[in-house]
Amino acid sequence: IPFEYQEEDIKLEGLISDPMLHRPNRTGQALFLNQRPVSSWEIAQAVLQGYGTSLPERRYPLFHLHLTLP
């Protein structure tokens, strides 16, 4: 599912998976900060929490996020 959000100088865009598409681990999760790959457990947890109860226990969504900061 494509999305885009911008507030002043902060922009977040990317793709997140439908709740029916998930994995038993966090492979398939990618985050880029100012075009550089980074790892953030906090952001991965925030995305997971955004799915609420839509995912089975111990399953993880797929996402590809691009965060642009000044």
Side-chain angles (χ1 to χ4, degrees):
I1 302 169
F3 72 93
E4 184 176 327
Y5 176 79
Q6 185 164 356
E7 188 171 314
E8 297 183 15
D9 292 342
I10 299 171
K11 184 175 183 180
L12 179 63
E13 60 186 328
L15 300 167
I16 57 172
S17 64
D18 182 276
M20 299 300 291
L21 182 60
H22 46 76
R23 292 183 180 235
N25 53 42
R26 289 188 167 87
T27 60
Q29 296 184 349
L31 173 63
F32 297 86
L33 176 60
N34 294 337
Q35 301 181 3
R36 294 186 178 107
V38 295
S39 178
S40 172
W41 183 85
E42 292 84 0
I43 291 179
Q45 282 301 109
V47 172
L48 180 61
Q49 289 175 3
Y51 281 84
T53 59
S54 299
L55 296 175
E57 284 189 42
R58 297 187 186 127
R59 300 296 289 191
Y60 302 92
L62 286 74
F63 63 77
H64 192 100
L65 305 177
H66 289 267
L67 179 59
T68 305
L69 300 173

